[in-house]
Amino acid sequence: MYETKIPFGERDGILFRAYEVDNGLRCRCICPGCKQPLNAANNGEKVVPHFRHAKSNDCFDGFREGARRAAVALIAQRKQLMLPALIETVRVATQDGRLLEEMVELQPVVIHADSVERFVDLGGLRGHAVLHQSHRQLIVRIKLSARMEHERYRQLEALEHSSMEIDLHHLTLEQINDPAKFEHAVLHDLANRIWIRSIRGERLAENALQKLQSVAGKINAQWQLERAAREAAEQARQIELANEKAELQCALEAHRAKQLQMAAEQSATTLDNTVQGRAELIAGTMLKALKEWSGRAVECTACYLLSPPDSRFCLYCDASTSKLNPVTLSPDIPSTINLRMRCSAKPNTSMRNAPILIVRPYFDKIEEH
Ligand SMILES: [Zn+2]
Ligand SMILES: [Zn+2]
């Protein structure tokens, strides 16, 4: 706890380090926090010079107030300060799901102030130092406790000035007692300072954002054109599918009418709707295909009868599951057809799928078996 070891004592408004004054109460210093008398401890060899309250009390501000006032005094005296670095990434999402990025960067730089105000009331909070440079102001907060100051940041971000924080709460008594180390920590150490608000950084970020938005705008316009083209192509495809479907329906209706007409013209047949009869019809269409259609035909997936190779629909049945598959018949069909039909499940399946044929296959002469 450094709070009990106080680095600076105050006399007549001036801060002294403990080794700069007489030992003990003869230092004639008071605590920068509570203004009570201090004892200087500066003649022990193993003791880092410091002050203590002459009478113990519950003051914990002596350390913080002294270090902060000494830091602000340094800034006011030197009128210069290292500004923190700033690195920020600006991002804009495009409609095609990309993320455009641009890095915004402020290099750390030492500024020289025209004047420095100490402990300025900013309405609800203190600016520990306010640096003026031509018409610009920079508000500086000196942090001397470990806790985060979110509320202070919010208040500072609401002001129309740049603001930064110098965090000195890690400094040891030895470092504070060493004027060179203390000065480096306050004025120049890049590791202990951050921007709370950087007006210049915001302007750079705004410029980068506008640039990215302009690029994104072009990408989005192109994407919308492409989307419109995709949608138009899809619409055209849908129309084409609908047309194809309508054409198929139309052709099927014409086919059904033709089937009915053929059925009406057919004379009564000796083949009734039995499995054996169906087997003979299937065999008959196979022989016919071999003889009349050069061994090529299309086979109905419902009734298994073969139609001429250029047919779109089964000539014989009107089963809703009917589709036509091209087949090529082997020249040995005539000698094997009876055996094939006996072993085949096709006649049975044919009867089940299409119990009644609309048109019966017509053969010049049913082969005798
Ligand atoms: Zn005190
Ligand atoms: Zn059929």
Side-chain angles (χ1 to χ4, degrees):
M1 287 292 283
Y2 288 106
E3 277 82 352
T4 58
K5 290 184 177 178
I6 299 172
F8 294 98
E10 179 183 343
R11 190 203 299 153
D12 304 328
I14 298 169
L15 295 175
F16 293 93
R17 291 181 167 88
Y19 57 76
E20 297 171 321
V21 296
D22 289 339
N23 200 31
L25 276 173
R26 282 182 292 129
C27 70
R28 293 185 293 118
C29 287
I30 58 171
C31 168
C34 64
K35 312 293 182 192
Q36 295 302 305
L38 293 176
N39 249 323
N42 63 11
N43 64 353
E45 280 189 6
K46 289 182 180 170
V47 176
V48 181
H50 64 276
F51 295 93
R52 281 179 188 282
H53 290 106
K55 288 181 189 165
S56 71
N57 63 11
D58 56 2
C59 166
F60 287 102
D61 293 336
F63 179 91
R64 279 199 284 272
E65 270 303 310
R68 181 175 287 132
R69 275 179 53 187
V72 170
L74 254 180
I75 296 171
Q77 186 191 347
R78 298 280 193 270
K79 292 202 181 78
Q80 56 167 262
L81 193 61
M82 175 70 84
L83 301 187
L86 180 87
I87 296 180
E88 197 182 309
T89 305
V90 179
R91 293 183 177 87
V92 171
T94 61
Q95 285 175 328
D96 63 358
R98 268 185 285 169
L99 204 56
L100 306 181
E101 291 187 344
E102 174 129 342
M103 193 117 97
V104 170
E105 198 169 353
L106 282 183
Q107 294 296 330
V109 64
V110 175
I111 57 155
H112 299 268
D114 301 330
S115 63
V116 177
E117 281 182 281
R118 306 185 199 191
F119 299 103
V120 178
D121 183 3
L122 299 170
L125 84 161
R126 281 192 311 172
H128 295 145
V130 176
L131 280 68
H132 295 263
Q133 193 190 41
S134 60
H135 60 283
R136 283 176 304 193
Q137 291 183 31
L138 170 64
I139 300 163
V140 179
R141 290 279 304 181
I142 308 289
K143 185 181 175 188
L144 277 156
S145 81
R147 68 171 192 276
M148 297 296 287
E149 303 192 308
H150 298 295
E151 181 53 30
R152 296 238 164 78
Y153 291 168
R154 245 195 315 279
Q155 287 173 294
L156 285 167
E157 282 162 3
L159 299 177
E160 284 305 312
H161 298 294
S162 293
S163 46
M164 60 178 276
E165 178 187 83
I166 302 172
D167 185 354
L168 300 181
H169 93 274
H170 288 297
L171 289 186
T172 62
L173 197 55
E174 290 93 327
Q175 289 170 323
I176 294 172
N177 273 347
D178 181 329
K181 281 182 184 157
F182 187 65
E183 178 164 335
H184 174 74
V186 173
L187 299 183
H188 295 291
D189 188 0
L190 273 175
N192 67 12
R193 59 205 62 214
I194 54 164
W195 286 107
I196 296 167
R197 177 171 187 187
S198 165
I199 301 287
R200 182 147 172 263
E202 287 169 18
R203 232 175 265 139
L204 288 177
E206 180 57 32
N207 288 346
L209 186 68
Q210 279 176 10
K211 200 172 118 196
L212 289 184
Q213 278 168 343
S214 149
V215 174
K218 283 175 195 142
I219 291 171
N220 290 345
Q222 181 63 27
W223 182 78
Q224 277 166 4
L225 278 180
E226 283 164 13
R227 182 175 63 173
R230 276 197 303 275
E231 283 171 357
E234 175 60 19
Q235 215 167 18
R237 203 178 68 88
Q238 291 298 336
I239 290 169
E240 198 178 321
L241 283 178
N243 286 344
E244 277 170 19
K245 203 174 156 193
E247 193 275 330
L248 185 72
Q249 186 58 32
C250 204
L252 187 59
E253 278 164 20
H255 177 71
R256 292 276 176 266
K258 191 178 115 194
Q259 278 180 311
L260 290 176
Q261 198 189 350
M262 287 171 75
E265 287 166 3
Q266 274 182 338
S267 49
T269 170
T270 53
L271 290 168
D272 57 3
N273 283 310
T274 62
V275 172
Q276 176 56 30
R278 193 60 62 91
E280 287 179 26
L281 289 182
I282 294 170
T285 58
M286 289 166 85
L287 293 172
K288 184 168 180 157
L290 200 60
K291 249 170 43 194
E292 295 181 21
W293 308 326
S294 320
R296 290 175 56 245
V298 285
E299 185 185 52
C300 173
T301 55
C303 71
Y304 291 111
L305 293 165
L306 303 189
S307 296
D310 54 356
S311 306
R312 269 184 91 179
F313 306 102
C314 175
L315 204 51
Y316 317 104
C317 75
D318 65 351
S320 61
T321 57
S322 169
K323 288 200 169 48
L324 296 181
N325 292 327
V327 290
T328 304
L329 292 124
S330 140
D332 72 349
I333 287 283
S335 56
T336 59
I337 189 76
N338 285 331
L339 185 63
R340 277 174 192 245
M341 277 303 118
R342 262 206 300 283
C343 306
S344 174
K346 285 182 180 178
N348 263 312
T349 315
S350 173
M351 280 301 290
R352 196 167 60 239
N353 290 345
I356 292 173
L357 298 177
I358 295 178
V359 174
R360 288 177 178 254
Y362 172 77
F363 313 115
D364 290 336
K365 175 173 171 264
I366 303 284
E367 303 283 325
E368 294 298 327
H369 311 299

